Amino acid sequence: MRARRGALGRFLLSLFVVGGFAVSGTGAAALPHAGAHVAGAAAVESLGIAGTAWIVDESTGTTHVLADSGVTDADLARLRGLGGAVGVERTGGRLRPLLAGGDGVYSSARRCTAGVNVQADSAYYFVTAGHCTDGLPTWYTTSALTTVIGPSTASSFPGDDFGVVRYADTSVPHPGTIGTVDVTGTATAYVGQSVCRRGAVTGVSCGRVTGLNATINYGNGEIVYGLIQTDICSEPGDSGAPLYAGDKVIGILSGGSGSCAAGGVSYYQPIQEALDAHGLSVY
């Protein structure tokens, strides 16, 4: 489990050490573009521009930045002024955590999507986005808030973006499935992988993993690290939705930009980190 990032400097140090070295059974060797990796990503983050997401191409050391529609021309110029090690591209819409009112799982103020059902011994839970569970202790099956699912028992946001909710009402079903898919385990994402996402608002949408270890600055000091980037669209209310390949769960939806009408980009918290942090397993 990565530590919470209240002290961004300490986190960045550990991030860059991981990003800058390839570890093998015989020790660690510096990647050829480790210096560019550190310099580019650190320079982008130091600007503190909300509405940006970035990811490092390990093969070239180039930092690729997506800037949403809320990034001003002046800030866009600041990003482009970082030089050739940083590439900048506009993305449609706004980068935001994807939550709203409607179907899914409900708190007193938010609607999100239950991700994957998990267990620890005889207790059952579901994993969702941490920006959903943050500060909101009780979840319900409908917007009328009549049938209680149970309380949030853990929340990690920002830094990470996962939360855990316990099934307190035994009458609420919690099968080990994603729709009709029977979950058999978890998997680690890789670039080019074919994946699908099932959200409470948009249903099942499929695409490919386009990057790993992405960072998003949502604004207001809310920066999330280590995300999986995909070309799958999502909408508000899909937050927490599971990303999966076949019968393996890969991640939990954090946020994205664009829409399912015009196309978009979405980002996912790797699932295994959340499970390891709280001793949970899929079933």
Side-chain angles (χ1 to χ4, degrees):
M1 173 185 177
R2 292 194 301 268
R4 287 185 62 88
R5 281 69 160 193
L8 291 180
R10 292 196 301 273
F11 168 71
L12 285 172
L13 177 61
S14 64
L15 175 70
F16 295 150
V17 169
V18 173
F21 292 89
V23 180
S24 70
T26 59
L31 293 171
H33 301 284
H37 179 157
V38 173
V44 172
E45 182 160 1
S46 70
L47 294 180
I49 299 173
T52 54
W54 58 96
I55 194 164
V56 175
D57 183 339
E58 297 285 0
S59 65
T60 64
T62 302
T63 300
H64 298 283
V65 182
L66 292 180
D68 74 14
S69 60
V71 175
T72 65
D73 289 340
D75 281 337
L76 204 63
R78 292 169 66 204
L79 287 164
R80 287 174 172 155
L82 294 175
V86 177
V88 183
E89 178 184 350
R90 279 283 194 186
T91 184
R94 301 291 293 268
L95 284 164
R96 76 283 194 205
L98 296 166
L99 51 91
D103 294 335
V105 291
Y106 299 78
S107 71
S108 58
R110 299 173 187 167
R111 174 188 66 183
C112 287
T113 297
V116 60
N117 287 326
V118 295
Q119 68 181 114
D121 297 324
S122 60
Y124 291 88
Y125 308 80
F126 68 79
V127 180
T128 187
H131 68 260
C132 292
T133 56
D134 189 33
L136 294 168
T138 305
W139 290 85
Y140 302 82
T141 59
T142 68
S143 59
L145 308 183
T146 53
T147 302
V148 174
I149 298 172
S152 298
T153 60
S155 188
S156 185
F157 178 81
D160 295 309
D161 195 357
F162 61 82
V164 180
V165 176
R166 180 171 60 84
Y167 283 98
D169 186 340
T170 57
S171 70
V172 177
H174 42 80
T177 60
I178 298 173
T180 59
V181 176
D182 185 15
V183 175
T184 64
T186 64
T188 301
Y190 59 88
V191 174
Q193 183 178 21
S194 296
V195 289
C196 293
R197 185 265 306 128
R198 186 174 190 268
V201 174
T202 55
V204 176
S205 295
C206 299
R208 293 188 180 276
V209 172
T210 55
L212 304 175
N213 296 318
T215 302
I216 296 183
N217 184 340
Y218 286 126
N220 300 315
E222 296 176 347
I223 302 176
V224 183
Y225 304 88
L227 299 175
I228 301 162
Q229 178 182 283
T230 76
D231 60 4
I232 302 174
C233 70
S234 293
E235 298 280 1
D238 284 334
S239 278
L243 182 73
Y244 59 100
D247 56 6
K248 301 294 192 296
V249 183
I250 296 171
I252 295 295
L253 180 63
S254 174
S257 66
S259 68
C260 286
V265 179
S266 55
Y267 297 85
Y268 299 79
Q269 161 75 49
I271 185 63
Q272 195 61 51
E273 181 181 0
L275 303 186
D276 291 345
H278 299 287
L280 302 169
S281 60
V282 299
Y283 59 88

Short mmCIF file of all heavy atoms in Angstrom, two decimals, residues 5-32:
data_model
loop_
_atom_site.label_atom_id
_atom_site.label_comp_id
_atom_site.label_asym_id
_atom_site.label_seq_id
_atom_site.Cartn_x
_atom_site.Cartn_y
_atom_site.Cartn_z
N ARG A 5 -0.60 10.81 0.71
CA ARG A 5 0.33 11.80 0.22
C ARG A 5 0.13 13.18 0.84
O ARG A 5 0.11 14.19 0.17
CB ARG A 5 0.20 11.94 -1.30
CG ARG A 5 0.91 10.84 -2.08
CD ARG A 5 0.27 9.53 -1.94
NE ARG A 5 0.64 8.63 -3.02
CZ ARG A 5 0.03 7.52 -3.23
NH1 ARG A 5 -0.96 7.13 -2.49
NH2 ARG A 5 0.38 6.75 -4.21
N GLY A 6 -0.04 13.28 2.15
CA GLY A 6 -0.14 14.59 2.77
C GLY A 6 1.13 15.37 2.54
O GLY A 6 1.11 16.59 2.39
N ALA A 7 2.27 14.71 2.50
CA ALA A 7 3.54 15.35 2.21
C ALA A 7 3.94 14.95 0.80
O ALA A 7 4.50 13.89 0.57
CB ALA A 7 4.60 14.92 3.22
N LEU A 8 3.64 15.82 -0.18
CA LEU A 8 3.84 15.46 -1.57
C LEU A 8 5.31 15.26 -1.89
O LEU A 8 5.67 14.45 -2.74
CB LEU A 8 3.26 16.56 -2.48
CG LEU A 8 1.74 16.66 -2.47
CD1 LEU A 8 1.30 17.77 -3.39
CD2 LEU A 8 1.10 15.35 -2.88
N GLY A 9 6.18 15.98 -1.20
CA GLY A 9 7.60 15.84 -1.48
C GLY A 9 8.09 14.43 -1.22
O GLY A 9 8.82 13.85 -2.02
N ARG A 10 7.67 13.84 -0.07
CA ARG A 10 8.11 12.50 0.25
C ARG A 10 7.56 11.51 -0.76
O ARG A 10 8.23 10.57 -1.16
CB ARG A 10 7.66 12.12 1.67
CG ARG A 10 8.36 12.89 2.75
CD ARG A 10 8.18 12.21 4.10
NE ARG A 10 6.79 12.07 4.47
CZ ARG A 10 6.10 13.01 5.12
NH1 ARG A 10 6.68 14.15 5.44
NH2 ARG A 10 4.85 12.81 5.45
N PHE A 11 6.30 11.71 -1.16
CA PHE A 11 5.72 10.81 -2.14
C PHE A 11 6.44 10.89 -3.47
O PHE A 11 6.74 9.89 -4.11
CB PHE A 11 4.24 11.12 -2.37
CG PHE A 11 3.69 10.41 -3.57
CD1 PHE A 11 3.50 9.05 -3.56
CD2 PHE A 11 3.43 11.09 -4.74
CE1 PHE A 11 3.03 8.38 -4.67
CE2 PHE A 11 2.97 10.44 -5.86
CZ PHE A 11 2.77 9.09 -5.82
N LEU A 12 6.70 12.13 -3.92
CA LEU A 12 7.37 12.29 -5.21
C LEU A 12 8.73 11.62 -5.20
O LEU A 12 9.14 11.01 -6.18
CB LEU A 12 7.52 13.78 -5.54
CG LEU A 12 6.22 14.46 -5.98
CD1 LEU A 12 6.44 15.95 -6.09
CD2 LEU A 12 5.73 13.89 -7.29
N LEU A 13 9.45 11.73 -4.08
CA LEU A 13 10.74 11.08 -4.00
C LEU A 13 10.61 9.58 -4.23
O LEU A 13 11.31 8.98 -5.03
CB LEU A 13 11.38 11.35 -2.64
CG LEU A 13 12.74 10.65 -2.39
CD1 LEU A 13 13.76 11.11 -3.41
CD2 LEU A 13 13.22 10.94 -0.97
N SER A 14 9.62 8.95 -3.54
CA SER A 14 9.45 7.51 -3.70
C SER A 14 8.96 7.18 -5.10
O SER A 14 9.36 6.18 -5.69
CB SER A 14 8.46 6.97 -2.65
OG SER A 14 7.18 7.52 -2.85
N LEU A 15 8.09 8.03 -5.67
CA LEU A 15 7.58 7.80 -7.02
C LEU A 15 8.71 7.81 -8.03
O LEU A 15 8.83 6.94 -8.89
CB LEU A 15 6.55 8.87 -7.38
CG LEU A 15 6.00 8.85 -8.82
CD1 LEU A 15 5.11 7.64 -9.00
CD2 LEU A 15 5.26 10.12 -9.11
N PHE A 16 9.59 8.80 -7.91
CA PHE A 16 10.65 8.93 -8.89
C PHE A 16 11.67 7.81 -8.75
O PHE A 16 12.26 7.38 -9.73
CB PHE A 16 11.34 10.29 -8.74
CG PHE A 16 10.43 11.43 -9.04
CD1 PHE A 16 10.60 12.65 -8.43
CD2 PHE A 16 9.38 11.29 -9.95
CE1 PHE A 16 9.76 13.71 -8.72
CE2 PHE A 16 8.55 12.33 -10.23
CZ PHE A 16 8.72 13.55 -9.62
N VAL A 17 11.91 7.33 -7.54
CA VAL A 17 12.82 6.20 -7.38
C VAL A 17 12.26 4.98 -8.08
O VAL A 17 12.95 4.28 -8.81
CB VAL A 17 13.07 5.91 -5.88
CG1 VAL A 17 13.80 4.58 -5.71
CG2 VAL A 17 13.89 7.03 -5.26
N VAL A 18 10.94 4.73 -7.90
CA VAL A 18 10.31 3.59 -8.58
C VAL A 18 10.35 3.79 -10.08
O VAL A 18 10.66 2.90 -10.85
CB VAL A 18 8.86 3.42 -8.09
CG1 VAL A 18 8.15 2.36 -8.92
CG2 VAL A 18 8.85 3.02 -6.63
N GLY A 19 10.00 5.03 -10.54
CA GLY A 19 9.96 5.28 -11.98
C GLY A 19 11.33 5.28 -12.61
O GLY A 19 11.48 5.04 -13.80
N GLY A 20 12.38 5.58 -11.85
CA GLY A 20 13.68 5.74 -12.43
C GLY A 20 14.54 4.50 -12.46
O GLY A 20 15.64 4.53 -12.99
N PHE A 21 14.07 3.40 -11.88
CA PHE A 21 14.89 2.19 -11.85
C PHE A 21 14.08 0.98 -12.23
O PHE A 21 12.91 0.86 -11.89
CB PHE A 21 15.47 1.98 -10.44
CG PHE A 21 16.48 3.02 -10.06
CD1 PHE A 21 16.08 4.18 -9.43
CD2 PHE A 21 17.82 2.85 -10.35
CE1 PHE A 21 17.01 5.16 -9.08
CE2 PHE A 21 18.75 3.80 -10.00
CZ PHE A 21 18.35 4.97 -9.37
N ALA A 22 14.73 0.06 -12.94
CA ALA A 22 14.12 -1.23 -13.24
C ALA A 22 14.76 -2.25 -12.30
O ALA A 22 15.98 -2.42 -12.31
CB ALA A 22 14.39 -1.62 -14.69
N VAL A 23 13.95 -2.91 -11.48
CA VAL A 23 14.47 -3.81 -10.47
C VAL A 23 14.38 -5.24 -10.98
O VAL A 23 13.35 -5.68 -11.49
CB VAL A 23 13.66 -3.67 -9.16
CG1 VAL A 23 14.20 -4.63 -8.11
CG2 VAL A 23 13.75 -2.24 -8.64
N SER A 24 15.44 -5.98 -10.85
CA SER A 24 15.46 -7.38 -11.25
C SER A 24 16.02 -8.21 -10.11
O SER A 24 16.38 -7.69 -9.07
CB SER A 24 16.32 -7.56 -12.51
OG SER A 24 17.68 -7.36 -12.19
N GLY A 25 16.11 -9.49 -10.34
CA GLY A 25 16.62 -10.36 -9.29
C GLY A 25 18.08 -10.09 -8.97
O GLY A 25 18.57 -10.47 -7.92
N THR A 26 18.78 -9.42 -9.85
CA THR A 26 20.20 -9.16 -9.61
C THR A 26 20.47 -7.74 -9.17
O THR A 26 21.60 -7.32 -9.06
CB THR A 26 21.01 -9.43 -10.89
OG1 THR A 26 20.50 -8.60 -11.95
CG2 THR A 26 20.87 -10.89 -11.30
N GLY A 27 19.40 -6.93 -8.94
CA GLY A 27 19.61 -5.57 -8.46
C GLY A 27 18.85 -4.57 -9.29
O GLY A 27 17.95 -4.92 -10.04
N ALA A 28 19.21 -3.28 -9.17
CA ALA A 28 18.49 -2.20 -9.85
C ALA A 28 19.40 -1.54 -10.87
O ALA A 28 20.56 -1.29 -10.61
CB ALA A 28 18.02 -1.16 -8.83
N ALA A 29 18.82 -1.27 -12.04
CA ALA A 29 19.57 -0.59 -13.08
C ALA A 29 18.80 0.64 -13.52
O ALA A 29 17.59 0.58 -13.71
CB ALA A 29 19.79 -1.53 -14.27
N ALA A 30 19.48 1.75 -13.72
CA ALA A 30 18.80 2.98 -14.11
C ALA A 30 18.24 2.84 -15.52
O ALA A 30 18.90 2.32 -16.42
CB ALA A 30 19.78 4.15 -14.07
N LEU A 31 16.99 3.29 -15.70
CA LEU A 31 16.41 3.32 -17.03
C LEU A 31 17.11 4.41 -17.84
O LEU A 31 17.55 5.42 -17.29
CB LEU A 31 14.91 3.61 -16.95
CG LEU A 31 14.06 2.51 -16.31
CD1 LEU A 31 12.65 2.99 -16.09
CD2 LEU A 31 14.07 1.27 -17.17
N PRO A 32 17.16 4.30 -19.16
CA PRO A 32 17.92 5.24 -19.96
C PRO A 32 17.38 6.66 -19.91
O PRO A 32 18.12 7.61 -20.15
CB PRO A 32 17.83 4.66 -21.38
CG PRO A 32 16.65 3.75 -21.37
CD PRO A 32 16.64 3.19 -19.98
#
